[in-house]
Amino acid sequence: MRQEKAKKRESFDIASNTVVLLFALLNLFPLYWLFSSSVKNSSDVIKMPPDWWPRTFTWSNYADVFTNQPALRWTLNSLYVAGLSTALLIVTSSMAAYAFSKLRFKGRSVFFIVFISSLMIPKEVMIVPLFRISQDLGLVNSVYGMIWPNVATAFGVFLLKGFFDTAPDALREAARIDGAGEVRTFLQIMLPIVKPGIGALFILNFVQVWNDYLWQLVIGQNKESKTLMVGIATLMQDLNPNFAYKMAGATVAAIPMLLIFILFQRYFTRGISIGAVKE
Amino acid sequence: MLKKRAMTVLTAALALSVAAGCSGANSNSNSAGSADSAGGTSGAGKKEKVELSLWLTPQWKGVMDATEDGADYDSFFLYAADKFKKQYDKYDVKVNVQVVAGDQRDELLNVNLNGGTPPDMFFESVFAMGDYVHRGALAPLTDIVDDAARKDIAQGYWDNVTFGKDVYFYPFAHNPGTLAYNADMFRAAGLDSLVGGENEIKTWTLNEYNRILETLKTKLPKDKYPNAYPMALYALNNQGDTWNLAYLRMFGNKFFDDKNNLAVDDADGIKAAEWLKKVYDSGYSNPGAESVSSNDANAMFQNQQLGISFTNAVLYNNAKADMKAGKSPSFDMRLANIPSASGKPLAFTYVVGTALFNTGDKARMEASKDFIKFFSTDPELVKASKNSIPVRSSVASEFASQFPLFTAYDANAANMFSFTGNVAGYSELRQVLYPELQAMYTGEKTPAQAIKDYQSKGNAVLQKARESSVIKP
């Protein structure tokens, strides 16, 4: 009876793992197609039946992307905008989240609800007023125009507050008894505890800013101030019918994101799972 | 260990990018131009400084030719601006040229219009910018059009750029839409007699066209052309919808009435829709038209999976260049008109020209007008229109021997219809047609129902746009 049950469970495991594997392959296929098409000749990309594996490898499409366009500049702009925005966001969000979680002040809950309700306003609604402010501050065609609106978001505060809430108040009280001030308690005691949350926020915000197409499009209007996503989208509109060239551009845009995911996935999954359980 | 190293490399790259970003050319110059009315003077003379902005979508590369060193989409306008500056005595003018992708145009324009910083000029296909005229965002250019230009550019092009009583775009070039066909496929199917000349835009009667479709379907050798279909049909989105609009006129429908309402729901319009559905159901077109885009159709044609497809002058040249460069299969590609029941073919063109935005800045608008007139009339600069098709007869005839199709396009101008009718709300109207075509191809609606719904929904769109239009008939 028990053996039969174990056998059934085993066959169920095999079946479910096969399904999961199939779904994984299905999800990976577009990426594979993107990479393999980028090293083909243009005519091979649109060939029917398609070449599932490139018959001839050519790196000229990548060379064209970097010689015909300031793609390196766009990549650096994207890294700078996403990197600095995220770093500053972590500073502001962690401080605000700590205050909402651990400090006691009048109207704390009301402030927090008001603050969090701003999550319901889509960014697109704010584009025009934000653009006008950026114009007045001389931030159009500047990477800083892409950075400043992203350095304080309700989402970051909301996410990190959840992590600070899980940190026992007793730790903070012990630190205070031992003579640590608020800043020291925050920096040396509480902040290390929410490291997984910071990791999760880093990756989520980095991806969000990296893909913030609309805002970066309206702010970075000249060729040099474009970011990679906007620049590559421009490439797609190029009258050049070389599909492989466009695929190479899309690959260049995808690689940094893939690297970020691969390197930070540990923090990401840990951060999400820890944040999900409240003790 | 490997992960640690990779993290170090990434951190270093990030730090490097931060350094690069800090020192980079992140100029704070605004997209819109400016007039230094506070009396800014230049070293060369005491002219008021005026900074203009010109935007364009990708048209052609280079000043005159894509083979020039460093040829790019802004090369022509940078050259023209430099030439203009040297001879202009009213202002010390600087023109900032910016290339924007076609699908970024409306987002960028709308944000900048709302922010009060539209560009001074926009070089683009008229059909894509017509709604900005109706919104009052553009200023008329009628006063810079002189008799010499009126004589050199055919009336059909002027009609295309005239809204109400005024000219809003200075026509520079045009991009005629036709059909393209694979003459090798025709011959393989025994249709030699219906193949036109190499430099001809062939006109078939509707009966001949139907015969071509049937013959390609039944007689095309399957070993040489596996998975090939007679003609392209697509309705995934609004891209390439001008050809769908042309098909709906095949049986004589006028499309717009005198009051600029859609008038497609009549016997001729329904007949045209039924024809499309019959072509689709008979397997005379690619399958899945509802989920095929014009780009897909174009790729299928280049890959010899379609006998007849849509094209325009730029696509045609690109396809030929691809074949020559070995980037796509080589075949005998030729041009034909869209046939009609009356025998008179249907032809249309995308006129490309420059619009002037109503910035409210007197100096900038004056200098912009002068610049538009300069590069649209300068004998040397107008020659660049050979990169698509010149609107000027003088340029077309000058290059006729070099580009034999110019003569054919010129002769075809008599068959042209205005597909936008320059109506208010045309851009939004484009969003109404393809869902109805999709419903028709999938069988969700009959052709008559699809046409009826297109007309009623389309007229609601037009009515709303008309009410807010600044152009009164």
Side-chain angles (χ1 to χ4, degrees), chain A residues 42-43 46-48 73 76 79-80 83 127-128 131-132 135 138 140-144 213-214 217-218 221-223 230 233-234 237-241 243 260 263-264, chain B residues 6-7 10 14 17-18 20-22 24 26-29 31 55 58-59 72-73 98 101-104 107-108 111-112 114-115 117 299 303 305 314 318 322 327-328:
Chain A
S42 180
S43 56
I46 56 168
K47 209 167 161 187
M48 279 293 168
R73 173 89 240 160
L76 294 177
L79 284 170
Y80 185 62
I127 287 281
V128 171
F131 181 71
R132 286 189 169 189
Q135 274 179 323
V140 175
N141 280 330
S142 157
V143 286
Y144 296 102
Y213 176 81
L214 184 59
L217 168 71
V218 298
Q221 297 183 0
N222 66 32
K223 209 171 186 176
V230 178
T234 313
Q237 286 285 305
D238 199 313
L239 291 175
N240 186 335
F243 292 106
I260 292 282
L263 296 176
F264 290 94
Chain B
M7 289 275 274
L10 190 79
L14 200 65
S17 75
V18 167
C22 285
N26 297 314
S27 72
N28 287 347
S29 68
S31 63
W55 291 6
Q59 303 290 338
D72 211 337
Y73 293 119
Q98 189 181 319
D103 68 349
Q104 298 170 349
E107 283 160 342
L108 276 171
V111 171
N112 278 278
N114 280 308
T117 53
N303 200 33
Q305 290 176 289
V314 173
N318 284 343
D322 268 3
K327 288 180 182 171
S328 67

Side-chain angles (χ1 to χ4, degrees), chain B residues 338-359:
Chain B
I338 298 165
S340 81
S342 71
K344 189 187 176 217
L346 294 159
F348 59 86
T349 194
Y350 301 104
V351 176
V352 182
T354 319
L356 172 72
F357 272 87
N358 220 333
T359 58

Side-chain angles (χ1 to χ4, degrees), chain B residues 270-451:
Chain B
I270 293 169
K271 221 170 164 182
E274 283 169 344
W275 181 85
L276 282 172
K277 178 72 171 152
K278 193 183 159 199
V279 165
Y280 183 70
D281 288 345
S282 309
Y284 293 160
S285 76
N286 50 281
E290 69 281 358
S291 55
V292 169
S293 70
S294 57
N295 270 348
D296 299 331
N298 194 38
M300 286 174 78
F301 178 70
Q302 282 190 267
N303 200 33
Q304 304 203 75
Q305 290 176 289
L306 288 169
I308 304 168
S309 185
F310 74 99
T311 197
N312 60 40
V314 173
L315 283 176
Y316 178 78
N317 288 337
N318 284 343
K320 286 266 187 189
D322 268 3
M323 289 182 204
K324 206 173 169 186
K327 288 180 182 171
S328 67
S330 188
F331 61 88
D332 187 358
M333 180 182 176
R334 297 189 184 193
L335 297 177
N337 276 312
I338 298 165
S340 81
S342 71
K344 189 187 176 217
L346 294 159
F348 59 86
T349 194
Y350 301 104
V351 176
V352 182
T354 319
L356 172 72
F357 272 87
N358 220 333
T359 58
D361 186 309
K362 208 178 152 195
R364 274 166 51 201
M365 287 182 74
E366 186 189 7
S368 296
K369 271 189 181 183
D370 291 340
F371 180 52
I372 293 170
K373 184 167 184 181
F374 175 75
F375 71 75
S376 303
T377 56
D378 180 82
E380 181 206 3
L381 295 173
V382 292
K383 286 179 187 172
S385 60
K386 71 177 171 58
N387 286 285
S388 34
I389 309 297
V391 287
R392 288 180 175 272
S393 309
S394 56
V395 181
S397 51
E398 188 180 339
F399 288 98
S401 57
Q402 199 180 333
F403 303 100
L405 269 172
F406 281 5
T407 315
Y409 282 127
D410 208 32
N412 220 23
N415 303 316
M416 278 186 192
F417 66 90
S418 167
F419 59 93
T420 68
N422 285 355
V423 295
Y426 178 74
S427 294
E428 211 183 327
L429 183 64
R430 295 180 71 197
Q431 304 303 325
V432 183
L433 177 63
Y434 71 86
E436 297 304 328
L437 290 177
Q438 287 175 352
M440 183 180 84
Y441 290 133
T442 55
E444 194 187 313
K445 287 182 185 177
T446 62
Q449 189 61 46
I451 289 295

